[in-house]
């Protein structure tokens, strides 16, 4: 009974707020990363970012047009490589120095890193789309934007969502760790308990983090299961 009361007191005092902050950081970061990646997926796809996508006549385009589109693909893919090659912790340190201690350095650090990963994976999905059906749409006179909206997005969305939820699982773990930089999430209270030699409290916060990850992993697994069935 005493242990239960002790756990309840910590939960009411700090635990629920820390878990909510950790979950909130991961959710906002993934929404920002997903929206930004979606905007850049098509310019990074070699089969879409061409003078005449999915049309053999595009081979007759000028060298200047082909160079312009290839440069666009290279720039966007280079951006993906740059932002995902820098760990979230480095982004967080830089943003903490600029923005001060708040949840936004953690949110933006996770969003920037995951933007690079989701963008790269999303572009690969577009490049592996069914070319025959897209050529049929192009032959019917659909524009580049219409092909993306009505041909690529409906067929690629399930795979994009699979990658999105997989990265969310990782993001919530990183949101816990980034709390150790002073951001008020579970990681902050883990470090604070360790500094005061309160190893029992530290263990409880670690278990809270594990429980949160398990809940998110379960939600993600169920979503992926139903997406595969669909």
């Amino acid at each position: 009974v005493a242990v239960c009361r002790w756990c309840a007191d910590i939960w009411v005092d700090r635990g629920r707020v820390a878990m909510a902050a950790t979950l909130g950081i991961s959710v906002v970061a993934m929404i920002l990363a997903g929206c930004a990646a979606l905007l850049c997926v098509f310019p990074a796809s070699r089969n879409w970012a061409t003078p005449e996508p999915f049309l053999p006549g595009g081979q007759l385009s000028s060298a200047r047009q082909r160079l312009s589109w290839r440069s666009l693909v290279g720039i966007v893919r280079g951006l993906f490589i740059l932002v995902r090659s820098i760990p979230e912790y480095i982004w967080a340190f830089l943003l903490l120095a600029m923005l001060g201690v708040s949840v936004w350095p953690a949110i933006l650090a996770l969003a920037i890193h995951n933007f690079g990963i989701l963008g790269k994976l999303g572009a690969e999905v577009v490049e592996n789309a069914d070319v025959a059906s897209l050529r049929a749409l192009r032959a019917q006179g659909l524009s580049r934007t219409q092909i993306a909206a009505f041909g690529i997005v409906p067929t690629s969305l399930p795979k994009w969502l699979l990658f999105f939820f997989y990265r969310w699982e990782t993001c919530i773990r990183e949101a816990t760790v980034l709390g150790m930089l002073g951001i008020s999430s579970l990681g902050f209270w883990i470090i604070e308990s360790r500094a005061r030699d309160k190893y029992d409290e530290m263990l409880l916060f670690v278990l809270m983090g594990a429980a949160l990850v398990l809940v998110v992993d379960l939600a993600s697994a169920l979503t992926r299961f139903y997406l595969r069935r669909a």
Side-chain angles (χ1 to χ4, degrees), residues 147-160:
I147 291 174
F150 302 113
I152 298 176
V153 171
T155 57
S156 301
L157 186 59
K159 291 183 179 178
W160 286 343

Side-chain angles (χ1 to χ4, degrees), residues 125-138:
V125 170
V126 174
E127 291 185 354
N128 289 306
D130 182 19
V131 178
S133 62
L134 298 177
R135 284 179 177 172
L137 293 175
R138 188 69 178 92

Side-chain angles (χ1 to χ4, degrees), residues 40-46 48-49 72-73 76-77 80 119 123-124 127:
C40 297
V41 158
F42 292 103
S45 304
R46 299 181 183 92
W48 187 87
L72 176 62
V73 171
V76 178
R77 283 186 170 263
F80 290 160
E124 296 295 333
E127 291 185 354

Side-chain angles (χ1 to χ4, degrees), residues 68-135:
S68 298
W69 283 104
R70 288 174 183 172
S71 299
L72 176 62
V73 171
I75 291 171
V76 178
R77 283 186 170 263
L79 177 63
F80 290 160
I81 293 173
L82 173 64
V83 297
R84 74 173 185 265
S85 65
I86 301 175
E88 302 97 320
Y89 317 109
I90 303 301
W91 285 117
F93 273 119
L94 295 174
L95 292 167
L96 276 170
M98 293 186 292
L99 303 177
V101 178
S102 69
V103 296
W104 281 107
I107 290 173
L108 294 177
L110 293 170
I112 291 170
H113 184 77
N114 282 283
F115 158 70
I117 296 174
L118 292 175
K120 193 265 185 184
L121 294 175
E124 296 295 333
V125 170
V126 174
E127 291 185 354
N128 289 306
D130 182 19
V131 178
S133 62
L134 298 177
R135 284 179 177 172

